[in-house]
Amino acid sequence: MTTDRAARWAGRAAWPLGGAVLLFTAAALGLAGHNGAGIGDVTHLFMVVACGTVGAVIAAHRPANPVGWLALTGGFCFALQEACGQYAAHGIVVEPGSLPLAAALAWPQNWLWVPGNAAVALIPAFFPDGRLLSARWRPAVGVVVGLGALAVLTGAFRPGANEQVTPVGAANPLGLAGWQPVADLTGGVATLASAMVFLAAGSTVAWQARRARGVRRQQVKWLGYAVALAVLVVAARLVAGLTDGNPGIWPYGSVFWDLAGGLSAALIPIAVGIAVRQHRLFDIDLLISRTAVFVTLSVAVGGAYVLVVVLLGAGFDASGSLPVSLVGAAVAASIFAPLRHWLQRRVNLLVYGERDDPYAVLARLGQRLEQTQDAAAVLATSTATVREALQLSYVAIETVDGRSYRLGDRPADPVRLPLVAAEPVGYLLLGPRAGETALGARELRLLRDLARHIGVAVQAVRALDRAQSLAADLRRSREHLVVAREEERRRLRRDLHDGLGPTLAGLTMRAEAAQELGPGEQSRRLLEEIVVDARTAVADVRRLVNGLRPPALDTMGLLGALRSHLAAWPGDGPRVVFTAPSALPELSAATEVAAYRIAVEALNNARRHAHAATVQVRLAVVGGRLRVDVHDDGRGRRPGEPDGVGMHSMRERADELGGSCVVTSAPGAGTRVTATLPTGTEDEDGPGPGTAG
């Protein structure tokens, strides 16, 4: 609570201090005009006003952020120094004795510039969130503060007039003779330390911005934009000063360049304020691109004009004539339009990607998708192409079958575009560029076109995946059929070799022995044994044939075969209730065998393992498919109990025909076996209940 109250009081104090900066600056301007100051003598006050105003805004709304207080301190110190200096100069030098306390106010101007410099120099070290760039910067901050305090003490007693205030200065009333070298040395060291920390911290901020994303990156862009403009103006002023024919490196007496220098310096604190408080106020990327185009275009056109004028002037000795100027202007104008178009395209390509060339984006997407065959690669390729083309912060593709691929950090509310190819196949999720709040109409048009192509590609690959999956299922089914066939052949070979084969061999040997013995009692016994073994062989053959296909199916059909099987049901077994239609549609031989085997196996399980009292067997045709349902009221199966051979056999028989067999069971609730098999008909017959048991 105490911290919150202190923050509120600090925020309220920021506005009066900001107002004081404006008041002191206005007084300094008025006095400077009376003291004969020119535009160049007061243009630095633009930056003073900007520091005071921006510092007050930040400190009032975010009192815990040192950036606001540093800017406000710098603006306040410089404004007070300028007001005191101009007041003292007017009352002591311009019109001696005209102003009271003029001598006393000549003292603050000698040292107020030191804390002002130090405060402004430390702003990058706390930019933008008010925290030091790292703990290693604490010693640097301490050095700036310590050297600044020392420079304040020595500067307070520096003799002579203060050179910080122009055009005239008043002497320090507390100056000590011989103290000037000491004050100049400590002031120079403090200024150098502040400049080094300022440049090092600014470089660190720029270096860290390479890896920054989102808000911080945009904040650094604002500061970098203002600093770049200021450096550009300084360079232009330097060129103008070196080429104006006057002594000195800066253009002397030029109102334009004086104003340009003052305003460009004021842009830095303004950019700091925007970055901290309202970094989304403008589209900084658009501002940077337009500025880059304007500056480059101005330099190119201006250079072309100067070059033409100089060449024509040298050739015709008429550098100052109107015709030469007109020719230069015409040449510069002729290159203006194509150069502007070319520059704008290059800058837009860097900032916005290829939104101005949708054909190139579509062509590249199509070329990359041609080389992609699986769904995962299609998603990755499409996502990377869209993000690369438009420089977006987030791109993701989500398909209806649960697949997804994403690049970037997901925003809170991404733009969602449907992917459609005859049917919905997914969504394209998008986040705006870093620093932007929404996608423009031009980007959305291009993205909708891309979404249509991506949807077709995703649908094609999904169809290919389905085809590959079906082919794999078909291959596995064929493998199962081959395995089942070979197992059946092995069983038949084993039964024939181990059962019927030895029996027939024995019959042959006995018949030969009986033939050799001739008529008699011994021959009669051999013939009796031959009869018994022959009957056994016939039974084995019938068993083998019945194992291949129950003969009752061929003579009585599925319903008759099941009723015949139930007619021979053991009397000590459970009661069986059989419900079926009066007639079934024509069934394939495979369906009849599968339905019969599944029903018989389920009945045997109910009798042998379930200890059921009643078993219900129902046959029905539903939706063109035969449904076999066997439900007993036995003890059921325990959870996790493994399936036996019979369970596996029932499922395999249904799977081979493209049907299904589901077994549900619970302890005390009995067991239900439900098999659904194809019939080749869409007819449905009503149930015809009957009972056998």
Side-chain angles (χ1 to χ4, degrees):
M1 184 65 69
T2 303
T3 304
D4 294 340
R5 185 181 294 111
R8 287 196 299 269
W9 278 105
R12 294 172 183 173
W15 294 118
L17 290 175
V21 171
L22 298 179
L23 182 62
F24 290 145
T25 303
L29 282 173
L31 290 169
H34 287 291
N35 294 339
I39 296 296
D41 296 321
V42 295
T43 52
H44 62 282
L45 293 179
F46 287 122
M47 182 177 180
V48 173
V49 172
C51 283
T53 304
V54 169
V57 171
I58 298 176
H61 292 88
R62 298 184 183 178
N65 192 331
V67 171
W69 295 107
L70 289 172
L72 186 55
T73 300
F76 183 83
C77 289
F78 285 127
L80 182 59
Q81 170 195 286
E82 192 73 22
C84 291
Q86 295 292 352
Y87 185 92
H90 188 83
I92 296 175
V93 179
V94 178
E95 296 183 12
S98 61
L99 297 176
L101 301 176
L105 293 181
W107 178 67
Q109 62 172 330
N110 295 278
W111 53 269
L112 275 174
W113 61 273
V114 177
N117 273 351
V120 173
L122 292 177
I123 289 177
F126 293 91
F127 180 84
D129 53 11
R131 292 177 293 182
L132 270 176
L133 298 175
S134 69
R136 291 177 296 180
W137 281 89
R138 290 196 182 97
V141 174
V143 168
V144 170
V145 174
L147 291 177
L150 182 61
V152 168
L153 292 175
T154 56
F157 302 102
R158 181 185 183 277
N162 177 30
E163 299 175 355
Q164 298 290 329
V165 179
T166 55
V168 293
N172 185 1
L174 300 181
L176 300 177
W179 190 252
Q180 181 175 348
V182 176
D184 290 345
L185 177 62
T186 55
V189 171
T191 302
L192 180 62
S194 297
M196 292 177 62
V197 169
F198 181 83
L199 294 175
S203 301
T204 302
V205 170
W207 179 262
Q208 292 179 350
R210 295 184 313 111
R211 300 179 181 177
R213 293 292 182 270
V215 172
R216 187 175 181 87
R217 188 175 183 86
Q218 296 303 109
Q219 290 173 322
V220 175
K221 281 185 178 180
W222 274 106
L223 182 60
Y225 174 73
V227 171
L229 279 183
V231 171
L232 185 64
V233 171
V234 169
R237 290 184 65 201
L238 184 61
V239 171
L242 294 176
T243 57
D244 63 357
N246 295 319
I249 62 174
W250 304 111
Y252 179 77
S254 173
V255 174
F256 172 78
W257 286 116
D258 289 341
L259 291 174
L263 292 173
S264 63
L267 286 178
I268 296 178
I270 293 174
V272 169
I274 294 175
V276 174
R277 285 285 300 146
Q278 295 288 340
H279 69 279
R280 295 183 185 272
L281 184 60
F282 304 106
D283 184 352
I284 181 61
D285 291 326
L286 177 63
L287 197 59
I288 291 174
S289 69
R290 292 294 185 263
T291 303
V293 171
F294 174 77
V295 171
T296 307
L297 194 62
S298 299
V299 172
V301 174
Y305 174 80
V306 172
L307 180 63
V308 170
V309 170
V310 170
L311 291 177
L312 291 178
F316 296 99
D317 193 23
S319 59
S321 66
L322 180 61
V324 171
S325 299
L326 292 177
V327 172
V331 172
S334 66
I335 67 174
F336 175 83
L339 180 60
R340 179 188 179 280
H341 181 70
W342 183 84
L343 281 174
Q344 191 65 66
R345 288 189 61 188
R346 298 281 80 75
V347 172
N348 285 349
L349 184 63
L350 292 174
V351 178
Y352 297 106
E354 296 177 297
R355 71 173 186 183
D356 295 332
D357 192 2
Y359 175 77
V361 181
L362 292 172
R364 183 163 66 253
L365 177 62
Q367 183 180 9
R368 291 180 178 179
L369 290 178
E370 286 178 358
Q371 306 170 0
T372 305
Q373 294 299 325
D374 61 277
V378 165
L379 299 186
T381 300
S382 303
T383 302
T385 302
V386 172
R387 193 182 191 208
E388 171 190 324
L390 295 178
Q391 306 292 325
L392 301 178
S393 62
Y394 176 78
V395 178
I397 295 177
E398 296 179 355
T399 65
V400 294
D401 54 7
R403 297 177 180 177
S404 64
Y405 192 86
R406 58 182 56 86
L407 291 173
D409 298 327
R410 183 185 178 101
D413 187 18
V415 177
R416 181 182 294 262
L417 298 180
L419 301 177
V420 179
E423 61 178 354
V425 296
Y427 290 95
L428 178 63
L429 306 179
L430 307 156
R433 300 178 190 85
E436 296 183 358
T437 57
L439 293 172
R442 187 181 304 177
E443 286 90 355
L444 289 176
R445 284 196 299 270
L446 174 57
L447 288 167
R448 290 190 181 98
D449 292 338
L450 292 175
R452 284 194 289 271
H453 290 76
I454 295 172
V456 172
V458 172
Q459 176 70 349
V461 175
R462 289 178 67 228
L464 178 60
D465 284 352
R466 285 197 295 268
Q468 293 175 344
S469 177
L470 291 174
D473 291 341
L474 179 60
R475 185 174 61 254
R476 286 192 295 269
S477 298
R478 293 180 61 186
E479 291 173 355
H480 288 315
L481 290 174
V482 170
V483 170
R485 183 187 65 190
E486 294 302 321
E487 289 295 332
E488 190 68 14
R489 287 177 175 178
R490 180 186 300 175
R491 184 183 67 82
L492 289 173
R493 180 182 180 278
R494 183 175 60 248
D495 290 345
L496 291 172
H497 181 272
D498 298 340
L500 188 59
T503 301
L504 294 177
L507 286 173
T508 301
M509 294 173 63
R510 288 187 179 92
E512 291 174 349
Q515 185 179 17
E516 292 176 357
L517 291 174
E521 183 63 24
Q522 191 173 4
S523 296
R524 186 181 62 79
R525 287 197 302 269
L526 287 175
L527 291 174
E528 289 177 351
E529 291 177 358
I530 289 173
V531 172
V532 172
D533 288 345
R535 289 173 178 172
T536 302
V538 171
D540 288 342
V541 171
R542 287 176 177 173
R543 181 178 56 82
L544 291 174
V545 172
N546 292 340
L548 295 176
R549 177 176 174 83
L553 291 176
D554 293 327
T555 58
M556 295 181 288
L558 177 60
L559 295 178
L562 287 175
R563 289 191 176 99
S564 175
H565 178 80
L566 294 175
W569 188 255
D572 58 349
R575 186 174 70 95
V576 179
V577 178
F578 182 59
T579 305
S582 58
L584 291 175
E586 183 178 353
L587 302 174
S588 66
T591 299
E592 286 183 333
V593 171
Y596 181 82
R597 295 296 188 193
I598 290 172
V600 170
E601 182 65 32
L603 285 167
N604 291 336
N605 287 340
R607 182 172 64 87
R608 296 172 184 172
H609 308 296
H611 304 292
T614 302
V615 181
Q616 295 180 351
V617 180
R618 292 186 178 90
L619 266 66
V621 178
V622 180
R625 300 177 75 85
L626 176 64
R627 179 170 179 173
V628 180
D629 187 84
V630 181
H631 183 202
D632 65 64
D633 59 357
R635 64 184 182 182
R637 305 177 64 199
R638 296 186 303 273
E641 182 178 348
D643 292 338
V645 176
M647 293 289 186
H648 287 295
S649 175
M650 289 189 292
R651 291 194 178 96
E652 288 178 356
R653 290 182 184 276
D655 290 341
E656 287 174 357
L657 298 178
S660 64
C661 181
V662 179
V663 180
T664 57
S665 182
T671 302
R672 181 185 292 273
V673 177
T674 303
T676 303
L677 306 172
T679 65
T681 178
E682 298 294 331
D683 297 333
E684 291 191 22
D685 297 305
T691 302

PDB file of all heavy atoms in Angstrom, residues 43-51 54 226 230 259-272:
ATOM      1  N   THR A  43      18.047  26.335 -31.078  1.00  0.00           N
ATOM      2  CA  THR A  43      17.414  25.132 -31.639  1.00  0.00           C
ATOM      3  C   THR A  43      17.548  23.921 -30.714  1.00  0.00           C
ATOM      4  O   THR A  43      16.740  22.983 -30.793  1.00  0.00           O
ATOM      5  CB  THR A  43      18.019  24.799 -33.006  1.00  0.00           C
ATOM      6  OG1 THR A  43      19.463  24.754 -32.897  1.00  0.00           O
ATOM      7  CG2 THR A  43      17.628  25.841 -34.036  1.00  0.00           C
ATOM      8  N   HIS A  44      18.562  23.932 -29.839  1.00  0.00           N
ATOM      9  CA  HIS A  44      18.704  22.801 -28.912  1.00  0.00           C
ATOM     10  C   HIS A  44      17.537  22.735 -27.921  1.00  0.00           C
ATOM     11  O   HIS A  44      17.325  21.707 -27.274  1.00  0.00           O
ATOM     12  CB  HIS A  44      20.027  22.902 -28.146  1.00  0.00           C
ATOM     13  CG  HIS A  44      20.120  24.122 -27.296  1.00  0.00           C
ATOM     14  ND1 HIS A  44      20.413  25.378 -27.797  1.00  0.00           N
ATOM     15  CD2 HIS A  44      19.935  24.288 -25.955  1.00  0.00           C
ATOM     16  CE1 HIS A  44      20.421  26.260 -26.818  1.00  0.00           C
ATOM     17  NE2 HIS A  44      20.134  25.619 -25.685  1.00  0.00           N
ATOM     18  N   LEU A  45      16.781  23.827 -27.806  1.00  0.00           N
ATOM     19  CA  LEU A  45      15.648  23.816 -26.878  1.00  0.00           C
ATOM     20  C   LEU A  45      14.507  22.921 -27.369  1.00  0.00           C
ATOM     21  O   LEU A  45      13.634  22.542 -26.574  1.00  0.00           O
ATOM     22  CB  LEU A  45      15.132  25.246 -26.670  1.00  0.00           C
ATOM     23  CG  LEU A  45      16.099  26.194 -25.935  1.00  0.00           C
ATOM     24  CD1 LEU A  45      15.491  27.578 -25.803  1.00  0.00           C
ATOM     25  CD2 LEU A  45      16.454  25.632 -24.568  1.00  0.00           C
ATOM     26  N   PHE A  46      14.488  22.576 -28.678  1.00  0.00           N
ATOM     27  CA  PHE A  46      13.513  21.592 -29.146  1.00  0.00           C
ATOM     28  C   PHE A  46      13.674  20.272 -28.388  1.00  0.00           C
ATOM     29  O   PHE A  46      12.707  19.660 -27.941  1.00  0.00           O
ATOM     30  CB  PHE A  46      13.678  21.343 -30.651  1.00  0.00           C
ATOM     31  CG  PHE A  46      13.193  22.483 -31.507  1.00  0.00           C
ATOM     32  CD1 PHE A  46      14.046  23.115 -32.397  1.00  0.00           C
ATOM     33  CD2 PHE A  46      11.877  22.906 -31.438  1.00  0.00           C
ATOM     34  CE1 PHE A  46      13.606  24.154 -33.190  1.00  0.00           C
ATOM     35  CE2 PHE A  46      11.414  23.950 -32.236  1.00  0.00           C
ATOM     36  CZ  PHE A  46      12.284  24.580 -33.103  1.00  0.00           C
ATOM     37  N   MET A  47      14.921  19.841 -28.254  1.00  0.00           N
ATOM     38  CA  MET A  47      15.182  18.594 -27.535  1.00  0.00           C
ATOM     39  C   MET A  47      14.857  18.737 -26.051  1.00  0.00           C
ATOM     40  O   MET A  47      14.368  17.798 -25.419  1.00  0.00           O
ATOM     41  CB  MET A  47      16.641  18.178 -27.724  1.00  0.00           C
ATOM     42  CG  MET A  47      16.978  16.857 -27.052  1.00  0.00           C
ATOM     43  SD  MET A  47      18.671  16.332 -27.356  1.00  0.00           S
ATOM     44  CE  MET A  47      18.708  14.790 -26.428  1.00  0.00           C
ATOM     45  N   VAL A  48      15.118  19.932 -25.480  1.00  0.00           N
ATOM     46  CA  VAL A  48      14.811  20.165 -24.062  1.00  0.00           C
ATOM     47  C   VAL A  48      13.304  20.023 -23.823  1.00  0.00           C
ATOM     48  O   VAL A  48      12.868  19.349 -22.874  1.00  0.00           O
ATOM     49  CB  VAL A  48      15.318  21.552 -23.634  1.00  0.00           C
ATOM     50  CG1 VAL A  48      14.859  21.873 -22.215  1.00  0.00           C
ATOM     51  CG2 VAL A  48      16.837  21.622 -23.738  1.00  0.00           C
ATOM     52  N   VAL A  49      12.507  20.648 -24.681  1.00  0.00           N
ATOM     53  CA  VAL A  49      11.050  20.553 -24.548  1.00  0.00           C
ATOM     54  C   VAL A  49      10.586  19.114 -24.737  1.00  0.00           C
ATOM     55  O   VAL A  49       9.724  18.611 -23.999  1.00  0.00           O
ATOM     56  CB  VAL A  49      10.363  21.486 -25.558  1.00  0.00           C
ATOM     57  CG1 VAL A  49       8.860  21.256 -25.573  1.00  0.00           C
ATOM     58  CG2 VAL A  49      10.668  22.937 -25.223  1.00  0.00           C
ATOM     59  N   ALA A  50      11.182  18.415 -25.721  1.00  0.00           N
ATOM     60  CA  ALA A  50      10.791  17.026 -25.972  1.00  0.00           C
ATOM     61  C   ALA A  50      11.119  16.152 -24.765  1.00  0.00           C
ATOM     62  O   ALA A  50      10.305  15.310 -24.348  1.00  0.00           O
ATOM     63  CB  ALA A  50      11.493  16.500 -27.218  1.00  0.00           C
ATOM     64  N   CYS A  51      12.297  16.331 -24.168  1.00  0.00           N
ATOM     65  CA  CYS A  51      12.674  15.537 -22.994  1.00  0.00           C
ATOM     66  C   CYS A  51      11.723  15.801 -21.826  1.00  0.00           C
ATOM     67  O   CYS A  51      11.267  14.870 -21.152  1.00  0.00           O
ATOM     68  CB  CYS A  51      14.107  15.860 -22.576  1.00  0.00           C
ATOM     69  SG  CYS A  51      15.373  15.108 -23.616  1.00  0.00           S
ATOM     70  N   VAL A  54       8.024  14.404 -22.822  1.00  0.00           N
ATOM     71  CA  VAL A  54       8.002  12.940 -22.859  1.00  0.00           C
ATOM     72  C   VAL A  54       8.262  12.360 -21.473  1.00  0.00           C
ATOM     73  O   VAL A  54       7.597  11.409 -21.038  1.00  0.00           O
ATOM     74  CB  VAL A  54       9.037  12.417 -23.877  1.00  0.00           C
ATOM     75  CG1 VAL A  54       9.220  10.913 -23.729  1.00  0.00           C
ATOM     76  CG2 VAL A  54       8.610  12.765 -25.291  1.00  0.00           C
ATOM     77  N   ALA A 226      14.509   6.946 -34.984  1.00  0.00           N
ATOM     78  CA  ALA A 226      14.827   8.332 -34.617  1.00  0.00           C
ATOM     79  C   ALA A 226      16.327   8.583 -34.631  1.00  0.00           C
ATOM     80  O   ALA A 226      16.799   9.626 -35.119  1.00  0.00           O
ATOM     81  CB  ALA A 226      14.250   8.636 -33.233  1.00  0.00           C
ATOM     82  N   ALA A 230      18.440  11.204 -36.963  1.00  0.00           N
ATOM     83  CA  ALA A 230      19.343  12.206 -36.392  1.00  0.00           C
ATOM     84  C   ALA A 230      20.736  12.088 -36.985  1.00  0.00           C
ATOM     85  O   ALA A 230      21.381  13.098 -37.321  1.00  0.00           O
ATOM     86  CB  ALA A 230      19.382  12.049 -34.873  1.00  0.00           C
ATOM     87  N   LEU A 259      17.424  24.474 -37.880  1.00  0.00           N
ATOM     88  CA  LEU A 259      16.153  23.862 -37.490  1.00  0.00           C
ATOM     89  C   LEU A 259      16.175  22.342 -37.687  1.00  0.00           C
ATOM     90  O   LEU A 259      15.643  21.587 -36.867  1.00  0.00           O
ATOM     91  CB  LEU A 259      15.014  24.475 -38.293  1.00  0.00           C
ATOM     92  CG  LEU A 259      14.668  25.940 -37.969  1.00  0.00           C
ATOM     93  CD1 LEU A 259      13.617  26.460 -38.938  1.00  0.00           C
ATOM     94  CD2 LEU A 259      14.158  26.051 -36.537  1.00  0.00           C
ATOM     95  N   ALA A 260      16.778  21.906 -38.795  1.00  0.00           N
ATOM     96  CA  ALA A 260      16.849  20.462 -39.048  1.00  0.00           C
ATOM     97  C   ALA A 260      17.619  19.752 -37.942  1.00  0.00           C
ATOM     98  O   ALA A 260      17.213  18.685 -37.460  1.00  0.00           O
ATOM     99  CB  ALA A 260      17.500  20.200 -40.408  1.00  0.00           C
ATOM    100  N   GLY A 261      18.742  20.357 -37.507  1.00  0.00           N
ATOM    101  CA  GLY A 261      19.516  19.737 -36.438  1.00  0.00           C
ATOM    102  C   GLY A 261      18.748  19.682 -35.126  1.00  0.00           C
ATOM    103  O   GLY A 261      18.741  18.658 -34.436  1.00  0.00           O
ATOM    104  N   GLY A 262      18.072  20.794 -34.771  1.00  0.00           N
ATOM    105  CA  GLY A 262      17.322  20.806 -33.516  1.00  0.00           C
ATOM    106  C   GLY A 262      16.144  19.848 -33.528  1.00  0.00           C
ATOM    107  O   GLY A 262      15.901  19.121 -32.558  1.00  0.00           O
ATOM    108  N   LEU A 263      15.396  19.818 -34.622  1.00  0.00           N
ATOM    109  CA  LEU A 263      14.235  18.933 -34.697  1.00  0.00           C
ATOM    110  C   LEU A 263      14.633  17.461 -34.740  1.00  0.00           C
ATOM    111  O   LEU A 263      13.958  16.603 -34.148  1.00  0.00           O
ATOM    112  CB  LEU A 263      13.402  19.287 -35.933  1.00  0.00           C
ATOM    113  CG  LEU A 263      12.694  20.651 -35.876  1.00  0.00           C
ATOM    114  CD1 LEU A 263      12.039  20.963 -37.224  1.00  0.00           C
ATOM    115  CD2 LEU A 263      11.640  20.657 -34.767  1.00  0.00           C
ATOM    116  N   SER A 264      15.700  17.139 -35.454  1.00  0.00           N
ATOM    117  CA  SER A 264      16.127  15.740 -35.517  1.00  0.00           C
ATOM    118  C   SER A 264      16.570  15.241 -34.151  1.00  0.00           C
ATOM    119  O   SER A 264      16.317  14.086 -33.784  1.00  0.00           O
ATOM    120  CB  SER A 264      17.253  15.573 -36.530  1.00  0.00           C
ATOM    121  OG  SER A 264      18.404  16.311 -36.128  1.00  0.00           O
ATOM    122  N   ALA A 265      17.241  16.106 -33.377  1.00  0.00           N
ATOM    123  CA  ALA A 265      17.629  15.704 -32.022  1.00  0.00           C
ATOM    124  C   ALA A 265      16.405  15.507 -31.135  1.00  0.00           C
ATOM    125  O   ALA A 265      16.380  14.620 -30.268  1.00  0.00           O
ATOM    126  CB  ALA A 265      18.557  16.752 -31.422  1.00  0.00           C
ATOM    127  N   ALA A 266      15.366  16.328 -31.348  1.00  0.00           N
ATOM    128  CA  ALA A 266      14.145  16.189 -30.545  1.00  0.00           C
ATOM    129  C   ALA A 266      13.389  14.910 -30.867  1.00  0.00           C
ATOM    130  O   ALA A 266      12.599  14.427 -30.047  1.00  0.00           O
ATOM    131  CB  ALA A 266      13.242  17.400 -30.775  1.00  0.00           C
ATOM    132  N   LEU A 267      13.627  14.342 -32.063  1.00  0.00           N
ATOM    133  CA  LEU A 267      12.934  13.108 -32.426  1.00  0.00           C
ATOM    134  C   LEU A 267      13.332  11.940 -31.527  1.00  0.00           C
ATOM    135  O   LEU A 267      12.543  11.012 -31.326  1.00  0.00           O
ATOM    136  CB  LEU A 267      13.227  12.749 -33.886  1.00  0.00           C
ATOM    137  CG  LEU A 267      12.542  13.598 -34.961  1.00  0.00           C
ATOM    138  CD1 LEU A 267      12.980  13.143 -36.342  1.00  0.00           C
ATOM    139  CD2 LEU A 267      11.027  13.484 -34.829  1.00  0.00           C
ATOM    140  N   ILE A 268      14.539  11.967 -30.970  1.00  0.00           N
ATOM    141  CA  ILE A 268      15.005  10.834 -30.162  1.00  0.00           C
ATOM    142  C   ILE A 268      14.175  10.686 -28.892  1.00  0.00           C
ATOM    143  O   ILE A 268      13.638   9.595 -28.626  1.00  0.00           O
ATOM    144  CB  ILE A 268      16.507  10.972 -29.853  1.00  0.00           C
ATOM    145  CG1 ILE A 268      17.305  10.914 -31.156  1.00  0.00           C
ATOM    146  CG2 ILE A 268      16.961   9.881 -28.885  1.00  0.00           C
ATOM    147  CD1 ILE A 268      18.789  11.084 -30.980  1.00  0.00           C
ATOM    148  N   PRO A 269      14.014  11.726 -28.051  1.00  0.00           N
ATOM    149  CA  PRO A 269      13.142  11.536 -26.887  1.00  0.00           C
ATOM    150  C   PRO A 269      11.685  11.277 -27.266  1.00  0.00           C
ATOM    151  O   PRO A 269      10.977  10.555 -26.564  1.00  0.00           O
ATOM    152  CB  PRO A 269      13.298  12.839 -26.100  1.00  0.00           C
ATOM    153  CG  PRO A 269      13.839  13.835 -27.061  1.00  0.00           C
ATOM    154  CD  PRO A 269      14.682  13.051 -28.015  1.00  0.00           C
ATOM    155  N   ILE A 270      11.221  11.875 -28.377  1.00  0.00           N
ATOM    156  CA  ILE A 270       9.852  11.597 -28.810  1.00  0.00           C
ATOM    157  C   ILE A 270       9.700  10.115 -29.149  1.00  0.00           C
ATOM    158  O   ILE A 270       8.709   9.465 -28.771  1.00  0.00           O
ATOM    159  CB  ILE A 270       9.483  12.484 -30.012  1.00  0.00           C
ATOM    160  CG1 ILE A 270       9.412  13.958 -29.577  1.00  0.00           C
ATOM    161  CG2 ILE A 270       8.160  12.043 -30.623  1.00  0.00           C
ATOM    162  CD1 ILE A 270       9.188  14.916 -30.729  1.00  0.00           C
ATOM    163  N   ALA A 271      10.680   9.561 -29.852  1.00  0.00           N
ATOM    164  CA  ALA A 271      10.632   8.141 -30.181  1.00  0.00           C
ATOM    165  C   ALA A 271      10.693   7.278 -28.926  1.00  0.00           C
ATOM    166  O   ALA A 271      10.027   6.238 -28.842  1.00  0.00           O
ATOM    167  CB  ALA A 271      11.787   7.783 -31.116  1.00  0.00           C
ATOM    168  N   VAL A 272      11.470   7.696 -27.937  1.00  0.00           N
ATOM    169  CA  VAL A 272      11.524   6.966 -26.664  1.00  0.00           C
ATOM    170  C   VAL A 272      10.140   6.948 -26.013  1.00  0.00           C
ATOM    171  O   VAL A 272       9.666   5.916 -25.512  1.00  0.00           O
ATOM    172  CB  VAL A 272      12.567   7.591 -25.724  1.00  0.00           C
ATOM    173  CG1 VAL A 272      12.432   7.020 -24.313  1.00  0.00           C
ATOM    174  CG2 VAL A 272      13.969   7.352 -26.249  1.00  0.00           C
TER     175      VAL A 272
END
